[in-house]
Amino acid sequence: MKYRWLSVIVAATLVSGALAGTAPAAKLGGKSVKLGAIYSITGKGAEWGEHSKIATEIAVDEINKAGGIGGVPVEVLIQDTGTEVAPAISLARKLILEDKVLAILGPCFSSEFEALAPLLDRLKTIIVSQCSAKPGISALSTWAFRNTLTSDKQLAPAVEIWQKRYGIKSAAIIYDSADAVSAAEGSAVLPALLKKAGIEVKESLTYQTKDIDFSAQITKVKSLNPDGIALGSCYQQAANIVREARKQGLKQPFLAGACTGSPEFAKLVGKDGESSVIGSAGWPDDPRPKTVAFLKKFMEKSGGKKPNYGGMRAYDNVYIMKWVIETGGVTNDAKDLDADRDHVRVGWTRVKDFDGVTGLTTINAERDGGGKSTVLTVKDGQFVKIDY
Amino acid sequence: MLIQLGINLILALSLYFPLSAGQLSLGQGGFMAIGAYAASWLTASHAWPWPVAFAVAALVAGAVGALVGLPALRVRGIYLVLMTMAFGEIVRVFFLNFAPTGAAQGFRGMPFVTSLPLVAALGVATALLAARTAGSRMGRAFAAINRDELAAEVLGIDVTRAKLASFTVGAAVAGLAGALWAHYVQFIEPEEFGFARSVAPFTFVVVGGIDTFWGAVAGAALLTLLPEWLRFLKEWRLALYGLAMLAVMIVRPQGLIDHRLLRALRRWRPGHPREVAR
Amino acid sequence: MLGQQLVNGVMLGAVYALIAIGYTLIFGVLGMLHLAHGEVFMVGAFVGLVIATKYSGNVMLALAAAMLATGVLGLLIERVAFRPLRGAHHLAPLATTIGAGIALQETARWYFGPEQQGFPSTIALTLWELGPLRVSSVQVFILAAALLLMGAVHVFRARTRAGRAVRATAEDPVVAGLLGVNVGAVIALVFFVASALAGAAGVLVGLAYNSVHPFIGVQMGVKGLVVMLLGGLGNVPGAMLGGLVLGVLEVLGVAYFASSYRDAFAFGAVMLMLLLRPEGLLGLRLQRRD
């Protein structure tokens, strides 16, 4: 046949291409692979940062025991942003310019991410958030990535389930207008989703993150008597709101999303929160073997606490970094720093169906994570999954 | 971090002006916020060139300072402290609700302008301003008012004008610090201009020494660098920072730099006669 | 709804009042602001939390323990942050108390962690309905405790010898000293009482709002200063009244306007007060102490 040689060449190319993808990673230069991490270990997001830190340390430990990345140990310089924007920016700068890291893991909070992203075009290093859920902000720079589900993706199935379970026809929204994600949920995401489900929004009330007294808002909601209450809130305040509502005699079921999705929420609300539906981006009790093994290690290190989805995704992100660095043409030589950073960036755009503890991870064209959201409810002080 | 030091320096000096005339303002955070938002709004939403935006921001902050300075004339001491505190908080709440600059979500989009040379230049300029003011007629009027306001009035000093001037200049300088800060971090939000931001320059000045403007410089330097030096202490960093502040004040209540120290330092300058007749 | 909101406001106001009384007592005898008072409140909340958790919800014990602990803390602060600076510039104690406050916050953060913790569900939660109003047993307890403490302070100042010594020292420490009052002891006593009240407020806030974390002292402290001003510097009944006024104002503001304006009411009130009636709601037009 005339084209037999052509088909042989094509076949050979395909085979070698496939082999290259599965070939053992080329040995990297340098003494270690340096990554940076900016986590909110203290401040209002302390639990998210703390879990991310623990998960990252577990991943680094495992990877180094198995030979490191490309035969070279990986080192993650973890810094604390205090859940504040200015430290996030200055620490990122320091890691990029002084410590010369290949990439940065984090930041967790959307406010930090949103402020840092526009600077990346100049700094030319990627950040990969494991928690940030405010829709749209990955668009701020081609160097900004998020391996999470944005609020709208987390909440969409939750709203449906909530409505069906409790026959919700009207709702009140209470949200934190001082927190980026919660404000986006309360003022944009939730109203749109509720409207689509045919639920009437009777009132939108706000509070400020630092507030501890929610009696005024709850009393107002009481006078409106909606079928349900939707929250755009981080878990501490959400728990307080739920308890205040029960204290004032309100029996309505609650709906909440991203920042509420920490197992601490379930612990704090206890019986009061049993008619809550939470949309989240990770299920710590997933029976898949990878997740079970991770959960066990995590609980040992955290003193019995289960990880929030930030912790789970931080773990995955370290492994994805490993894959990206090993298959993306990174040399890890000091002179190739700029090229390597760009390779890492390109690598992350190619992440598809990566098998991690949060399931199969794909980074979509908007540089956000794709996948199915986990819908949870509270029972006996723990989160349990609602199947759908 | 040196950039942050420079901005803190300017902020500390901004408090020095009203303080040298006996007016303690715990509301510099509010003026800083006004300067930051004004400059940012001009550069981000209206693409003004940054030098003009900075100048306008300082002027606006100064104007507000004059406005606040007027009722401030009527109160003294603790009452002035509380009034300026309240002012600072009101500014914060205002920007918390002001939609055109992002309200609670914060404001971004300003270009990166604040480089180290710029901050250094403006820092030195501000310090020079403070130095020249101290030696000028106005500066001596401030000192007199600080000592004894009634006596100063009796001596013919226009107390009202002097106090207003010190307040206004302090506000304008704080506004400049705000503009610099905004164009360094490229993201500002109302919460960061709260009480803590007003307390910071106060601690710089008191720990550094309230006698002269050098105290503001020393205090800003020490208290900005200290948390960085203590970074190796990780969790204990800020606790020790607080204790350090406490300790310095107990050991040396007049602050690090006072008149005596300056005189002693001057005697060591080459060419200065060793024996100075007191 | 208005009635219920008023109840909410009174609850909040009672707590503000307890903190403000402490500020105003200290200002009365020393003429200085104690900017770590909010942190004393925070320590009280944590002590109460620890005791309540350990002794399965015994609230009275928690209150007593917290008040004792914070009283002692107050004595310590007076010794360390105020007494050495007696002759120094009048602004110096502001700086030392700020430093002390930071140290306390960070120590609490190190020991307890930065996250909020809740009191164990101690008092059996029963809801009583009085017409359109709904009041919980927790709220009643808090209000009763606050009123009791305020009453005790009032009786102390008006009827006891020690109380009269405190008032004399507040009036004029030099003359009081000349008249045989042990001014040093009086100041120490004032710090103890003021701090104990703040500690009690901490436990009550923990019970009411379930948020105990190392940084609750900051905002509470600022509000306490505002209330002190509203009521008149150095004026104890004024602090009680001011607290109630601020609590109600804040709650109504949030209910009828927006939460982001919450603080505006407090500070707007301060500005107005300072301009129109600087001596406070109950203060007398006397020589202002600068």
Side-chain angles (χ1 to χ4, degrees), chain B residues 10 12 31 38 43 61 70 100 108 111 117 131 170 182 195 212 215 221 248 267-268 272:
Chain B
I10 297 176
F31 297 119
T43 55
L70 281 169
R108 63 180 151 76
F195 188 54
T212 65
V248 168
R267 262 184 248 135
W268 283 97
H272 191 100

Side-chain angles (χ1 to χ4, degrees), chain A residues 1-7:
Chain A
M1 288 177 322
K2 242 164 73 173
Y3 296 102
R4 193 197 287 209
W5 60 267
L6 184 61
S7 53

Side-chain angles (χ1 to χ4, degrees), chain B residues 57-146:
Chain B
L59 281 171
V60 170
V64 177
L67 278 175
V68 175
L70 281 169
L73 291 170
R74 295 178 46 175
V75 293
R76 247 174 273 172
I78 286 296
Y79 293 92
L80 179 62
V81 171
L82 289 169
M83 173 183 268
T84 49
M85 235 178 70
F87 164 73
E89 290 291 295
I90 290 177
V91 169
R92 178 182 64 82
V93 174
F94 171 78
F95 282 112
L96 201 62
N97 292 284
F98 190 59
T101 53
Q105 297 298 299
F107 192 54
R108 63 180 151 76
M110 28 303 199
F112 181 83
V113 168
T114 311
S115 59
L116 189 55
L118 178 65
V119 170
L122 285 172
V124 168
T126 315
L128 278 173
L129 177 66
R132 296 237 27 219
T133 310
S136 72
R137 261 190 66 186
M138 188 59 100
R140 283 198 289 275
F142 289 168
I145 296 170
N146 193 12

Side-chain angles (χ1 to χ4, degrees), chain A residues 85 89 93 114 119 177 180 183, chain B residues 96 104-105 108 112 185-187:
Chain A
V85 171
I89 293 178
R93 274 215 183 92
E114 205 178 355
L119 313 180
S177 65
Chain B
L96 201 62
Q105 297 298 299
R108 63 180 151 76
F112 181 83
V185 287
Q186 295 179 269
F187 174 83

Side-chain angles (χ1 to χ4, degrees), chain A residues 227-240:
Chain A
D227 293 331
I229 305 174
L231 298 176
S233 168
C234 277
Y235 69 92
Q236 303 98 318
Q237 290 81 20
N240 288 340

Side-chain angles (χ1 to χ4, degrees), chain B residues 15-246:
Chain B
L15 178 59
Y16 175 73
F17 287 102
L19 195 57
S20 66
Q23 303 180 95
L24 174 57
S25 160
L26 273 186
Q28 298 306 90
F31 297 119
M32 194 180 179
I34 293 174
Y37 273 102
S40 305
W41 189 64
L42 289 172
T43 55
S45 308
H46 296 271
W48 279 31
W50 68 265
V52 183
F54 276 30
V56 170
L59 281 171
V60 170
V64 177
L67 278 175
V68 175
L70 281 169
L73 291 170
R74 295 178 46 175
V75 293
R76 247 174 273 172
I78 286 296
Y79 293 92
L80 179 62
V81 171
L82 289 169
M83 173 183 268
T84 49
M85 235 178 70
F87 164 73
E89 290 291 295
I90 290 177
V91 169
R92 178 182 64 82
V93 174
F94 171 78
F95 282 112
L96 201 62
N97 292 284
F98 190 59
T101 53
Q105 297 298 299
F107 192 54
R108 63 180 151 76
M110 28 303 199
F112 181 83
V113 168
T114 311
S115 59
L116 189 55
L118 178 65
V119 170
L122 285 172
V124 168
T126 315
L128 278 173
L129 177 66
R132 296 237 27 219
T133 310
S136 72
R137 261 190 66 186
M138 188 59 100
R140 283 198 289 275
F142 289 168
I145 296 170
N146 193 12
R147 259 290 164 81
D148 188 333
E149 194 167 321
L150 192 56
E153 186 135 33
V154 165
L155 285 173
I157 293 177
D158 189 341
V159 171
T160 305
R161 230 186 73 177
K163 281 171 87 166
L164 263 181
S166 73
F167 223 86
T168 308
V169 172
V173 172
L176 181 63
L180 282 168
W181 171 257
H183 291 76
Y184 170 59
V185 287
Q186 295 179 269
F187 174 83
I188 51 176
E189 50 177 354
E191 283 307 312
E192 66 174 294
F193 294 109
F195 188 54
R197 188 72 85 152
S198 294
V199 162
F202 172 72
T203 53
F204 297 156
V205 172
V206 172
V207 170
I210 44 182
D211 278 351
T212 65
F213 78 92
W214 288 108
V217 175
L222 178 69
L223 292 178
T224 309
L225 294 174
L226 196 58
E228 290 304 319
W229 291 333
L230 293 179
R231 224 175 240 282
F232 68 93
L233 288 169
K234 294 188 181 231
E235 308 183 321
W236 285 101
R237 191 165 65 101
L238 289 173
L240 264 120
Y241 174 78
L243 285 175
M245 212 191 293
L246 187 57

